[in-house]
């Protein structure tokens, strides 16, 4: 059965470019970005893994560990990492799972047989420190992902975990947020002392509370 938001992310033990990893143990109390790509030595994947490496500081700031996956074997990953480093002007600084037996891909439903029976699609899972799945996005093989969007969703998840707010369309860190519908307007001044604007009784905006 496929995973849904709020489900517990299954644990696994897998071979990776950084040695054998027990996913839960490796994760500790961090958030995870677990993402699959169709195949090694392919152009779009090369740019995606390069970008993930370049964003290491941004992931670290948010207490997120990245881990990639494809069904290629470890020696293929190892050789390809050299190409990523060379062509993307970076150093791959996160593990890549060699899921040759498709154990993890099947656990996370990363192979969509009607798209391709042999390769993982571009799946993205954000998993929180309680090991709950908080975001699932699936892209086709032909579309490279926007990793700034992934960071944006992590910002939203971490903000909305801490405050009774939600983030509106195209929100970016630092912009106004929406007060959670469950909060009566009369209670907003006490909870959000920076002020608020009532556009409609159900649409109340307030400055981002943690900025
Ligand atoms: C790529 O990463 O470039 C790619 C992989 C599979 C199909 C199409 C593109």
């Amino acid at each position: 059965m496929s995973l849904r938001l709020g489900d517990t992310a299954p644990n696994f033990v897998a071979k990776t470019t950084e040695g054998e990893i027990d996913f839960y143990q490796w994760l500790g109390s961090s958030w995870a970005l677990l993402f699959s790509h169709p195949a090694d030595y392919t152009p779009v994947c090369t740019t995606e893994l390069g970008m993930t490496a370049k964003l290491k500081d941004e992931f670290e700031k948010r207490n997120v560990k990245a881990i990639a996956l494809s069904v290629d074997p470890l020696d293929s990953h190892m050789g390809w990492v050299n190409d990523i480093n060379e062509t993307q002007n970076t150093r791959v600084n996160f593990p890549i799972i060699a899921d040759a037996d498709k154990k993890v891909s099947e656990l996370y439903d990363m192979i969509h047989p009607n798209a391709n029976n042999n390769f993982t699609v571009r799946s993205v899972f954000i998993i929180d420190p309680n090991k709950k799945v908080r975001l699932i996005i699936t892209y086709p093989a032909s579309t490279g992902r926007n990793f700034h969007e992934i960071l944006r969703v992590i910002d939203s998840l971490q903000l909305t975990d801490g405050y009774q707010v939600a983030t509106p369309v195209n929100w970016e860190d630092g912009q106004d947020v929406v007060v959670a519908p469950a909060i009566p307007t009369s209670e907003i001044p006490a909870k959000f002392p920076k002020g608020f604007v009532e556009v409609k009784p159900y649409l109340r905006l307030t400055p981002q509370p943690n900025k």
Side-chain angles (χ1 to χ4, degrees):
M1 204 179 78
S2 58
L3 287 170
R4 295 181 179 174
L5 298 187
D7 289 354
T8 298
N11 194 26
F12 56 83
V13 175
K15 279 188 207 156
T16 82
T17 49
E18 297 187 0
E20 189 169 276
I21 279 180
D22 174 300
F23 183 55
Y24 277 15
Q25 227 170 56
W26 171 80
L27 207 50
S29 59
S30 298
W31 291 66
L33 162 61
L34 169 64
F35 65 108
S36 57
H37 57 274
D40 295 353
Y41 296 104
T42 50
V44 176
C45 303
T46 300
T47 61
E48 286 189 324
L49 271 70
M51 179 54 69
T52 306
K54 286 179 185 167
L55 289 173
K56 184 180 178 63
D57 290 351
E58 294 299 323
F59 289 120
E60 268 181 7
K61 256 195 245 169
R62 295 162 175 85
N63 187 30
V64 177
K65 288 183 172 179
I67 184 162
L69 174 151
S70 80
V71 298
D72 295 293
L74 199 54
D75 58 342
S76 164
H77 282 352
M78 291 299 199
W80 182 43
V81 161
N82 294 331
D83 281 9
I84 299 170
N85 292 343
E86 178 197 326
T87 62
Q88 306 305 300
N89 200 22
T90 188
R91 295 209 70 75
V92 172
N93 43 33
F94 55 89
I96 308 172
I97 297 167
D99 193 37
D101 61 4
K102 301 184 178 165
K103 227 173 60 190
V104 183
S105 321
E106 281 167 8
L107 207 51
Y108 280 80
D109 202 23
M110 291 164 162
I111 296 175
H112 296 197
N114 292 325
N116 191 306
N117 213 9
N118 300 316
F119 303 121
T120 43
V121 291
R122 295 189 199 281
S123 296
V124 178
F125 293 89
I126 300 294
I127 297 160
D128 72 16
N130 295 320
K131 315 292 184 286
K132 298 293 179 202
V133 175
R134 302 294 300 278
L135 171 78
I136 303 172
I137 330 180
T138 309
Y139 294 72
S142 52
T143 304
R145 287 160 281 205
N146 184 332
F147 283 76
H148 294 289
E149 167 61 3
I150 292 169
L151 288 169
R152 191 188 76 87
V153 182
I154 293 167
D155 285 340
S156 173
L157 287 168
Q158 293 183 345
L159 172 69
T160 59
D161 277 358
Y163 297 88
Q164 290 175 288
V165 297
T167 58
V169 62
N170 291 350
W171 173 85
E172 300 275 353
D173 190 40
Q175 295 177 349
D176 288 356
V177 298
V178 164
V179 178
I183 299 179
T185 300
S186 60
E187 291 178 16
I188 295 179
K191 288 187 189 287
F192 299 99
K194 291 180 183 169
F196 75 101
V197 174
E198 185 181 71
V199 182
K200 287 281 180 191
Y202 59 83
L203 174 56
R204 293 87 42 93
L205 296 168
T206 189
Q208 185 171 326
N210 63 348
K211 287 282 166 178

